[in-house]
Amino acid sequence: QKEVEQNSGPLSVPEGAIASLNCTYSDRGSQSFFWYRQYSGKSPELIMSIYSNGDKEDGRFTAQLNKASQYVSLLIRDSQPSDSATYLCAVKDSSASKIIFGSGTRLSIRP
Amino acid sequence: DTGVSQNPRHKITKRGQNVTFRCDPISEHNRLYWYRQTLGQGPEFLTYFQNEAQLEKSRLLSDRFSAERPKGSFSTLEIQRTEQGDSAMYLCASGSGINQPQHFGDGTRLSIL
């Protein structure tokens, strides 16, 4: 059974600080990795995709990938109250077309 | 709006009834996926279409569930003889390539009375 593991949280971060979200995965052959944001009662919204080892930056968001350690992370700089949501780590199954999701980390930005 | 569209947004039905959901993907996407999400969990894969062909089905998809994508455009997901455990958010996603991200619709929330 291929798995994606995330700390469920809640992770509480003061406004303006850096939020760090982590994820590990079991499928060593995976090549595509995604972070989705999900507000309560809403559907997942794509934030970042990353395919190569290292860092990828997009605005206040930085995704980090280490395939050798099977580890993906998301950094959110200058955290805003609107960043309060559940963040889903998602990994493309190496032998199928589906994406395997973690159960999500709840992030709360306190003013 | 060229995003993924799902209908209805909410469905409340009695146990034992049949329900059908519709998904209209992003027009240029040939890949369409159905997922199910329950509270506190990430989405779980149900099935995948490439054009009109249903290429993958999860073991979660019991024989009460059927999905179609007859012309390679919109898709329907039908649940027959609904059970309490079917209560969930049913999400549709579409994508343009095997390693490309999937973009989700707003989902259909199913409640079984």
Side-chain angles (χ1 to χ4, degrees):
Chain A
Q1 178 96 0
K2 295 173 182 176
E3 295 181 333
V4 176
E5 299 286 343
Q6 295 182 256
N7 188 321
S8 62
L11 175 65
S12 181
V13 172
E15 185 175 356
I18 296 175
S20 177
L21 304 163
N22 305 312
C23 166
T24 59
Y25 60 95
S26 64
D27 185 355
R28 186 168 288 279
S30 295
Q31 298 295 319
S32 306
F33 307 86
F34 311 99
W35 283 98
Y36 287 83
R37 178 176 62 198
Q38 187 171 28
Y39 293 112
S40 180
K42 303 295 185 182
S43 64
E45 171 192 10
L46 179 71
I47 298 175
M48 296 278 292
S49 54
I50 186 166
Y51 304 95
S52 304
N53 280 328
D55 295 0
K56 179 182 177 182
E57 186 174 319
D58 184 359
R60 295 187 297 112
F61 298 97
T62 299
Q64 299 174 318
L65 174 62
N66 184 325
K67 291 182 182 178
S69 301
Q70 295 175 242
Y71 178 89
V72 194
S73 65
L74 179 71
L75 301 177
I76 306 174
R77 289 181 300 281
D78 188 24
S79 295
Q80 303 296 311
S82 59
D83 295 327
S84 297
T86 295
Y87 288 80
L88 297 165
C89 175
V91 177
K92 165 72 173 57
D93 188 321
S94 63
S95 58
S97 293
K98 67 185 179 185
I99 288 178
I100 303 167
F101 286 84
S103 58
T105 298
R106 275 195 301 135
L107 175 65
S108 176
I109 307 300
R110 58 182 189 270
Chain B
D1 185 4
T2 57
V4 179
S5 176
Q6 290 189 248
N7 287 289
R9 292 292 306 280
H10 304 276
K11 180 69 176 179
I12 301 172
T13 192
K14 293 181 179 179
R15 183 167 54 91
Q17 298 295 304
N18 298 343
V19 294
T20 300
F21 311 140
R22 175 176 170 129
C23 172
D24 288 87
I26 295 171
S27 58
E28 57 266 32
H29 289 175
N30 64 345
R31 296 168 184 263
L32 186 148
Y33 309 80
W34 286 98
Y35 290 83
R36 179 172 67 187
Q37 186 177 25
T38 54
L39 197 62
Q41 300 298 314
E44 293 178 293
F45 171 78
L46 293 178
T47 190
Y48 156 62
F49 290 86
Q50 184 168 336
N51 300 314
E52 67 275 12
Q54 186 174 21
L55 298 183
E56 292 175 25
K57 290 173 61 174
S58 165
R59 283 171 291 179
L60 291 174
L61 214 64
S62 76
D63 57 5
R64 296 185 299 105
F65 288 71
S66 62
E68 295 182 338
R69 193 182 182 197
K71 297 182 180 179
S73 56
F74 73 92
S75 174
T76 58
L77 177 68
E78 181 182 18
I79 308 174
Q80 296 182 327
R81 305 181 303 280
T82 53
E83 302 174 355
Q84 291 284 350
D86 296 332
S87 294
M89 174 79 88
Y90 289 83
L91 294 162
C92 176
S94 69
S96 59
I98 192 164
N99 289 313
Q100 296 303 306
Q102 297 171 19
H103 299 271
F104 286 85
D106 289 336
T108 295
R109 183 169 296 283
L110 174 64
S111 298
I112 307 298
L113 300 178

